[in-house]
Amino acid sequence: MRKETSPITKIVVPAGGIGGARFLRGLQRAAPDADITVIGNTGDDISLFGLRVCPDLDTVMYTLGGGINEQQGWGRDDETFSVKEELARYGVGPGWFGLGDRDFATHIVRNQMLDAGYPLSAVTEALCERWLGPADDQRLRLIPMSDDRVETHVVITDAQGRRAVHFQEWWVRLRASVPAESIVAVGAEDAKPAPGVLDAIADADAVILPPSNPVVSVGTILSVPGIRPAMAAKTVVGVSPIIGGAPVRGMADACLTAIGVETSALAVAAHYGPELLDGWLVDTADAPDADAAVAGITVRARPLLMTDVDATADIARAALELAAELR
Amino acid sequence: MRKETSPITKIVVPAGGIGGARFLRGLQRAAPDADITVIGNTGDDISLFGLRVCPDLDTVMYTLGGGINEQQGWGRDDETFSVKEELARYGVGPGWFGLGDRDFATHIVRNQMLDAGYPLSAVTEALCERWLGPADDQRLRLIPMSDDRVETHVVITDAQGRRAVHFQEWWVRLRASVPAESIVAVGAEDAKPAPGVLDAIADADAVILPPSNPVVSVGTILSVPGIRPAMAAKTVVGVSPIIGGAPVRGMADACLTAIGVETSALAVAAHYGPELLDGWLVDTADAPDADAAVAGITVRARPLLMTDVDATADIARAALELAAELR
């Protein structure tokens, strides 16, 4: 077994949902002694049935806490759907968003705390005490990018005309089948980073961008004023979410197209830009010609399929090694 | 089979939970063509996990809509408890109130409508569309006694000193094991009857008091200004909840003791009083001496155990016949 010798012990990871959560599990395996601060995307958050649902925070929390549905990558294990079925019997929707009974409990607790006036960061910390252990003992800490409401909306044109829909409606209900004309993080420009976000970045040895959606996950986090420049001042290494010209999972291509970025590993690196990104891992399938490299970004090719936790730990280790080199 | 010939076709029933709901099922059997307006007690309502729970309204709705847990008399049939178990895993209580998954859906829908600004009466009507059919076609209509917050509190003295607790805490958590020093319907004096309540009473041929708790169910309804005098102007026949000097179910004796009323069928009749009550059904076990009768109230003895729907229909039929005689 290979001994980890990286000097990187304080790590910040801006993460979306499934891809980010799975990468984090590998990162924990690769760097068991590191302090990891996860800055969670909240642009996908949505109010359903009067309850505040935070899909990306929950996916990270459930995955790292051992409560995730491993097959689908989101939602709770051993889940049942009595509440949802009953809501449908009352004629109350939407039915397209799959909230299970165990998952409902999370949203009920969150909503109760939010209604009582706690900010989302405090609510998230309270929920994480169950999944990640007492706050003071956590090697991995999850903080929402902001306590302010930021909501990703997608402009589409369909039978109802040109209109903005909530990201979840486009992503989950429409399965991104209608082209996104634009994607807007509503409220982002007035949002402040949540308490602890800027401190964690300032204190970090490196920022690792996981293979989360570069537009609606990492991109939304970076759109909160203050976060991008704070990260840019650090060593930042990213893992490409695009392998062989296609997203490994999800529909990141539809999001990239909406913002005019080609669906390729290098185009994503160029989109992040050399002022943010120092190093970039691409899959061996995307190993660039010398000509194709992005100026100012060190690109390294290696297998990037997160087939299991061991393979994912190898990817995380490669990212940490590259960060250590580039510091 | 006996043909129902009672001239009573418009009936108002102020009802609590289990006893009231079961009586109503018998009343529907006894008078299938009657228009029944149920005025539901909301003094037992409680906010749990940020959701508004209306135990008595729901017990009536589930019982008459075929969704009740027949064994326990409250809650949903085929119920599961995933949400509650998960809430406990988060350390969120109280655990002593048994909310099942299917039941949670009702409270989620109710809360969402209340948060949107609908009054409880409109919310109840919407929920009942599922259980009792389209509002315009309902032979039985359920209206909460008031849209205003009325909450039954119980003053007790225990290890924590003398204090007021919510009725549900005394009833469900403490099982009425600590004596009630007083029982107060907080907010009642400022409450208004919900829309439709006074009209239904004014329009009724008779008011039937079911064998609900005379203190915290029927008594709370009567405490809303305007309801008692409106009923007193009508023919009112009650069914004793006390048989052989004890409540048939529940802990009505503990409530009666708190307000200084003996636990006997006739004492309850006297408590309601002749200005409200015209007729009173007592069990054959409680058939009074001529001396013991309450002045101004016609007392009739007959079997009152609601052993099944047929037996309950017989009781309801007797109440209607007595009301028809006394009009």
Side-chain angles (χ1 to χ4, degrees):
Chain A
M1 191 174 160
R2 188 167 167 185
K3 182 90 177 74
E4 180 56 49
T5 55
S6 162
I8 309 284
T9 59
K10 294 177 183 170
I11 307 165
V12 164
V13 180
I18 303 174
R22 288 186 172 165
F23 177 81
L24 284 164
R25 197 150 54 176
L27 182 63
Q28 283 189 309
R29 171 83 55 99
D33 298 325
D35 286 316
I36 302 170
T37 301
V38 182
I39 301 173
N41 171 42
T42 60
D44 299 8
D45 294 2
I46 187 168
S47 290
L48 295 167
F49 314 107
L51 301 172
R52 194 72 185 154
V53 178
C54 302
D56 282 0
L57 295 180
D58 289 348
T59 294
V60 170
M61 190 171 78
Y62 294 158
T63 300
L64 300 179
I68 197 78
N69 178 321
E70 293 286 351
Q71 275 64 48
Q72 67 186 11
W74 53 271
R76 290 296 315 279
D77 54 343
D78 297 325
E79 189 57 290
T80 52
F81 292 88
S82 289
V83 176
K84 186 184 173 181
E85 286 162 19
E86 286 294 309
L87 290 169
R89 295 288 301 275
Y90 279 114
V92 173
W96 49 262
F97 202 92
L99 292 182
D101 297 331
R102 297 179 131 198
D103 204 17
F104 258 111
T106 300
H107 311 315
I108 288 169
V109 175
R110 174 186 293 122
N111 219 63
Q112 195 175 5
M113 288 190 71
L114 290 172
D115 278 354
Y118 290 97
L120 182 61
S121 54
V123 175
T124 304
E125 184 177 313
L127 292 171
C128 283
E129 290 246 338
R130 170 180 172 191
W131 296 104
L132 307 178
D136 291 345
D137 297 344
Q138 287 169 15
R139 303 310 299 261
L140 183 144
R141 186 170 54 131
L142 173 62
I143 313 178
M145 65 189 199
S146 178
D147 282 332
D148 301 317
R149 182 80 77 101
V150 177
E151 214 161 70
T152 304
H153 289 192
V154 179
V155 177
I156 60 171
T157 300
D158 62 5
Q160 296 176 50
R162 186 162 187 269
R163 62 200 180 101
V165 297
H166 189 285
F167 172 75
Q168 297 293 357
E169 188 171 351
W170 181 64
W171 191 256
V172 177
R173 187 169 82 79
L174 301 173
R175 302 296 305 159
S177 59
V178 182
E181 295 170 25
S182 64
I183 297 174
V184 187
V186 178
E189 63 256 52
D190 298 319
K192 291 181 298 297
V197 165
L198 295 182
D199 287 346
I201 299 169
D203 201 35
D205 298 320
V207 175
I208 307 293
L209 308 187
S212 288
N213 189 308
V215 183
V216 295
S217 294
V218 179
T220 305
I221 297 167
L222 293 172
S223 74
V224 176
I227 292 184
R228 187 185 172 98
M231 287 186 177
K234 292 285 165 172
T235 301
V236 179
V237 169
V239 178
S240 175
I242 306 296
I243 295 182
V248 177
R249 61 168 297 130
M251 299 160 288
D253 47 341
C255 299
L256 289 165
T257 302
I259 62 165
V261 174
E262 187 194 342
T263 301
S264 80
L266 287 190
V268 171
H271 169 64
Y272 281 135
E275 73 286 358
L276 175 72
L277 211 54
D278 301 293
W280 186 241
L281 295 185
V282 302
D283 191 80
T284 41
D286 301 294
D289 301 331
D291 294 350
V294 184
I297 301 176
T298 302
V299 177
R300 191 159 296 171
R302 48 151 300 118
L304 288 191
L305 278 178
M306 299 191 290
T307 45
D308 56 26
V309 179
D310 282 336
T312 308
D314 286 341
I315 299 166
R317 206 172 280 117
L320 291 174
E321 285 169 359
L322 182 54
E325 279 177 47
L326 296 172
R327 281 184 84 184
Chain B
M1 192 175 158
R2 188 168 168 184
K3 182 91 175 74
E4 181 54 50
T5 56
S6 162
I8 308 285
T9 59
K10 293 177 183 169
I11 307 166
V12 164
V13 180
I18 303 174
R22 288 187 171 164
F23 178 79
L24 284 164
R25 196 150 55 175
L27 182 62
Q28 284 188 308
R29 171 84 56 97
D33 297 326
D35 285 316
I36 302 170
T37 301
V38 182
I39 302 173
N41 171 42
T42 61
D44 299 9
D45 295 3
I46 186 167
S47 290
L48 295 168
F49 313 108
L51 302 172
R52 193 71 185 156
V53 178
C54 302
D56 283 1
L57 295 181
D58 289 349
T59 295
V60 170
M61 190 172 78
Y62 294 159
T63 300
L64 300 180
I68 198 77
N69 178 321
E70 293 286 352
Q71 276 63 50
Q72 66 186 14
W74 53 269
R76 290 297 315 281
D77 53 343
D78 297 325
E79 188 58 290
T80 52
F81 292 87
S82 288
V83 176
K84 185 185 172 179
E85 285 162 17
E86 285 294 310
L87 289 169
R89 295 288 302 274
Y90 279 114
V92 172
W96 50 262
F97 203 91
L99 292 181
D101 297 331
R102 296 177 131 200
D103 203 18
F104 258 110
T106 300
H107 312 313
I108 289 169
V109 175
R110 173 184 293 122
N111 219 61
Q112 196 175 4
M113 289 190 71
L114 289 173
D115 279 353
Y118 291 98
L120 182 61
S121 53
V123 175
T124 304
E125 183 177 315
L127 292 171
C128 283
E129 291 247 337
R130 170 181 172 191
W131 296 104
L132 307 177
D136 292 344
D137 298 343
Q138 288 170 14
R139 302 311 299 261
L140 184 144
R141 188 170 52 131
L142 173 63
I143 314 178
M145 64 189 200
S146 178
D147 282 333
D148 301 318
R149 181 80 77 101
V150 177
E151 214 162 71
T152 304
H153 288 191
V154 179
V155 177
I156 60 171
T157 300
D158 63 5
Q160 295 175 52
R162 186 162 187 270
R163 62 200 181 102
V165 297
H166 189 286
F167 172 75
Q168 296 293 357
E169 189 171 349
W170 181 64
W171 191 256
V172 177
R173 188 170 80 81
L174 301 173
R175 303 296 303 158
S177 59
V178 182
E181 296 169 24
S182 63
I183 297 175
V184 187
V186 179
E189 62 257 52
D190 298 320
K192 290 181 299 297
V197 166
L198 295 182
D199 287 347
I201 298 171
D203 201 35
D205 298 320
V207 174
I208 307 293
L209 308 187
S212 288
N213 190 309
V215 183
V216 294
S217 295
V218 179
T220 305
I221 297 168
L222 293 172
S223 74
V224 176
I227 292 185
R228 186 186 173 98
M231 287 186 177
K234 292 283 164 174
T235 301
V236 180
V237 169
V239 177
S240 175
I242 306 297
I243 295 183
V248 178
R249 60 168 298 130
M251 300 160 286
D253 47 341
C255 299
L256 288 166
T257 302
I259 63 165
V261 174
E262 189 194 338
T263 301
S264 80
L266 288 190
V268 172
H271 169 63
Y272 282 135
E275 72 287 357
L276 175 73
L277 210 55
D278 300 294
W280 186 242
L281 294 185
V282 302
D283 190 80
T284 41
D286 301 294
D289 302 329
D291 295 349
V294 183
I297 301 175
T298 301
V299 177
R300 191 160 295 172
R302 49 151 299 117
L304 289 190
L305 278 178
M306 300 191 290
T307 44
D308 57 25
V309 180
D310 282 337
T312 309
D314 286 342
I315 299 167
R317 206 172 281 117
L320 292 174
E321 285 168 0
L322 182 54
E325 280 177 44
L326 297 172
R327 280 183 85 186

